[in-house]
Amino acid sequence: MNAKAHTVYKTRAGERVPSVTTILSLLNKPALVKWANNLGLQGIDVTKYVDILADAGSLAHDMILDYFRGIITDTSECSQDVIKKAENAFLSFLEWAKQRKLEPILVEHEMVSETKKYGGKCDWYGYEDGIKTLLDFKTGSGIYEEHAIQLAAYKYEFEEEGHEVEIAKIIRIPRTEDEIFEIKAWKNLSKQAEIFFHLRDIYELKRQIKER
């Protein structure tokens, strides 16, 4: 699949700011290292396996967001293996979605925090069974600490824009039989937000050192 262009985020004054994911790249991800090591022990080519799953995850993610937009996802440049895994993930999402009332207000909404100087794009904001909910859809081997930190950064941006967030959730969609459907929800992400703001400060300090 063709890689998507990175979004450039700017404040209202035109100042370019880093994205949430760029800032979170400062964190180590030991769980992913362990997962890749386990694949290697099974004799699986990690590079090829990860590429296929990543493409399937990206396509499934597009399918979910396009479902809310009311459009059909273009799969013309995807292999049949990738399409099959993505469709399996999408069907899992549909099973979850049909059991609740989902009323989207914003889908893949781009935001910039004017106070903290960073940009982000969260998947879904709206009413889930009448509750103002922030959803981020993940396809991967698990829900990790950095995902909650990422969600906290998005929640802060939404609230800065004036949108009330009663609950924030990560929905993990399985792509293969050895992955599971998983949901984690938070009403309070203040500690995770605090971690993210410290990371934002560290990012800025590293940038200043690099530019000297």
Side-chain angles (χ1 to χ4, degrees):
M1 293 175 65
N2 293 331
K4 293 182 179 180
H6 289 289
T7 303
V8 174
Y9 295 100
K10 293 183 179 181
T11 65
R12 287 192 290 268
E15 176 188 358
R16 185 166 177 170
V17 295
S19 69
V20 171
T21 52
T22 296
I23 294 167
L24 287 176
S25 67
L26 294 171
L27 289 174
N28 288 324
K29 299 177 176 59
L32 295 182
V33 174
K34 181 180 179 182
W35 175 75
N37 184 60
N38 288 337
L39 288 179
L41 292 174
Q42 297 173 52
I44 298 172
D45 186 327
V46 174
T47 303
K48 292 181 180 178
Y49 187 81
V50 169
D51 285 347
I52 291 173
L53 283 185
D55 284 349
S58 295
L59 182 58
H61 191 264
D62 288 345
M63 287 177 171
I64 292 168
L65 297 184
D66 287 345
Y67 166 84
F68 290 113
R69 297 185 184 107
I71 61 177
I72 303 298
T73 305
D74 180 13
T75 62
S76 60
E77 296 185 10
C78 304
S79 70
Q80 288 303 308
D81 193 13
V82 166
I83 292 171
K84 182 179 179 180
K85 285 181 171 60
E87 288 178 341
N88 287 339
F90 183 59
L91 288 174
S92 294
F93 157 76
L94 290 178
E95 283 296 313
W96 169 80
K98 74 181 184 181
Q99 299 176 42
R100 50 205 26 85
K101 185 178 181 181
L102 297 170
E103 302 172 76
I105 297 172
L106 296 166
V107 177
E108 209 170 24
H109 179 53
E110 294 181 6
M111 305 163 287
V112 172
S113 169
E114 295 288 332
T115 59
K116 299 295 185 179
K117 309 293 184 185
Y118 68 90
K121 182 166 55 178
C122 195
D123 291 337
W124 193 96
Y125 172 77
Y127 290 96
E128 180 190 347
D129 296 332
I131 298 171
K132 292 178 180 177
T133 305
L134 188 63
L135 299 178
D136 202 34
F137 299 101
K138 299 292 186 188
T139 55
S141 56
I143 297 176
Y144 303 113
E145 180 184 24
E146 62 265 23
H147 294 153
I149 298 171
Q150 180 183 27
L151 193 63
Y154 293 148
K155 182 175 182 288
Y156 181 88
E157 289 181 297
F158 269 94
E159 291 174 337
E160 188 176 296
E161 286 192 350
H163 303 292
E164 181 185 7
V165 179
E166 296 180 78
I167 193 166
K169 296 182 179 182
I170 293 173
I171 314 294
R172 178 189 167 205
I173 314 292
R175 301 158 297 186
T176 60
E177 291 182 357
D178 60 335
E179 294 179 345
I180 63 171
F181 192 97
E182 185 179 7
I183 300 173
K184 287 193 176 181
W186 296 265
K187 289 185 177 180
N188 188 328
L189 285 163
S190 58
K191 293 300 182 184
Q192 290 88 344
E194 189 175 347
I195 292 171
F196 179 79
F197 298 145
H198 283 304
L199 287 171
R200 176 65 182 93
D201 292 339
I202 293 169
Y203 176 89
E204 182 61 25
L205 289 170
K206 288 172 70 70
R207 185 191 66 79
Q208 290 175 9
I209 291 170
K210 187 176 180 180
E211 290 182 353
R212 284 180 181 174

